[in-house]
Amino acid sequence: MSVAKIPLAGVIGSPIAHSKSPRLHGHWLRKLGLPGHYVPMDVAPEDFEQVLRSLPKAGFVGVNVTVPHKEAALKVADVVTDRATLIGAANTLIFLEDGRIHADNTDGFGFIENLRQNAPDWDAKAGPAAVLGAGGAARAILASLLDAGAPEILLSNRTRARAEALQSDFGSKINVIDWVQAGNMLEDAATVVNTTSLGMLGHPELRVPLDGLQKGALVTDLVYNPLQTRLLREAEEMGCVTVDGLGMLIHQAVPGFERWFGKRPEVDADIRAVLLR
């Protein structure tokens, strides 16, 4: 009698000990009563491809990929989704039965789903979006905001050239604003997104002046440690609708889990509580 293999998945990064993903997927596996394991793997960049190609032989059905491997994952993959190509990075890999590696990027999906769940009245079409930062996360946010119908995106980054590079990739709806003028762009914004690490525990505060924020604007921060950053706290005091970054982490994990383990997990208060413990 043949026994079915237990599906394995995990997350590859360096460093990786801080990742909440094992706790997240482990909770869903237990809650849904599914066989399977999800493990963190600290892999150096020079070993990434070799490790990745060996995983299917060890029973892995796929992995998440995080810093510094998101761009490298695209190069190794045999099949790449349109959204991963547009963003220029992958965070979710599926190992197909024919041996090929399928790469996707679910960060933008997680970002939009988080807003839809926690600010159901939000509409990307309501007015310009102001985005702070021009790193890898910003690419996913720009792609998803444009896809959701944002009429214009005001983009500001400490290094202007990086913002201009995104403008040339994403087109004429992106307008680059000097970092010293970043506070001014908030005056027109219906949606405000911080994609930088500023405000994260152990990082400098986000010093952009917030007095231009419009009452009723949607303000969200990808930082989730601390859960309520200075940006979110002050935006709430000014009458803005605020959404923290933890939901994005949870929602971006849903498509991968479903492909690897065969059931779609629910995003509810339980999983937030598990991650905040």
Side-chain angles (χ1 to χ4, degrees):
M1 173 182 143
S2 69
V3 180
K5 275 187 178 177
I6 292 177
L8 304 177
V11 57
I12 302 179
S14 188
I16 203 60
H18 66 286
S19 174
K20 291 183 185 286
S21 293
R23 204 189 302 178
L24 173 65
H25 289 273
H27 171 79
W28 281 338
L29 284 166
R30 286 189 299 276
K31 187 172 181 179
L32 293 167
L34 296 173
H37 297 283
Y38 185 99
V39 295
M41 292 172 271
D42 194 323
V43 176
E46 58 270 24
D47 300 325
F48 175 70
E49 183 170 354
Q50 187 184 355
V51 169
L52 198 62
R53 293 201 181 280
S54 69
L55 290 177
K57 299 185 186 85
F60 279 79
V61 289
V63 288
N64 286 125
V65 180
T66 188
V67 177
H69 304 307
K70 285 184 169 190
E71 288 82 14
L74 274 195
K75 296 189 181 80
V76 177
D78 305 294
V79 187
V80 180
T81 63
D82 289 347
R83 62 186 177 183
T85 302
L86 180 64
I87 293 163
N91 72 335
T92 304
L93 302 180
I94 297 146
F95 301 143
L96 304 174
E97 284 182 11
D98 61 9
R100 292 180 304 160
I101 296 172
H102 176 281
D104 193 9
N105 191 309
T106 63
D107 282 335
F109 165 84
F111 170 74
I112 296 289
E113 288 300 305
N114 185 34
L115 297 189
R116 286 188 175 144
Q117 181 178 35
N118 295 295
D121 294 334
W122 174 74
D123 181 5
K125 302 181 187 77
V131 175
L132 300 162
R139 295 185 70 93
I141 302 315
L142 295 185
S144 62
L145 284 171
L146 291 171
D147 191 49
E152 180 189 11
I153 298 177
L154 307 165
L155 178 64
S156 192
N157 188 57
R158 284 167 287 181
T159 311
R160 186 182 168 101
R162 292 191 72 179
E164 287 173 344
L166 292 194
Q167 183 184 40
S168 68
D169 284 352
F170 285 93
S172 60
K173 285 188 178 177
I174 312 293
N175 284 317
V176 175
I177 311 292
D178 277 333
W179 186 251
V180 291
Q181 301 294 328
N184 296 346
M185 73 181 185
L186 305 182
E187 293 169 13
D188 300 320
T191 306
V192 177
V193 189
N194 175 39
T195 75
T196 75
S197 58
L198 296 170
M200 192 189 289
L201 204 67
H203 291 256
E205 278 291 356
L206 178 68
R207 300 260 177 240
V208 172
L210 303 177
D211 47 352
L213 282 171
Q214 295 298 303
K215 187 175 180 180
L218 182 286
V219 180
T220 186
D221 201 326
L222 302 200
V223 170
Y224 55 81
N225 186 13
L227 200 58
Q228 195 178 46
T229 58
R230 172 188 160 246
L231 171 63
L232 295 183
R233 193 172 58 248
E234 293 193 12
E236 196 174 303
E237 288 165 4
M238 295 171 73
C240 297
V241 178
T242 60
V243 177
D244 67 56
L246 188 62
M248 176 175 163
L249 174 79
I250 300 168
H251 280 285
Q252 64 80 31
V254 169
F257 185 96
E258 184 177 19
R259 285 293 298 266
W260 302 327
F261 301 115
K263 277 197 182 169
R264 193 168 185 89
E266 205 179 317
V267 176
D268 53 17
D270 280 3
I271 189 63
R272 279 182 69 88
V274 163
L275 295 182
L276 291 170
R277 277 211 288 270

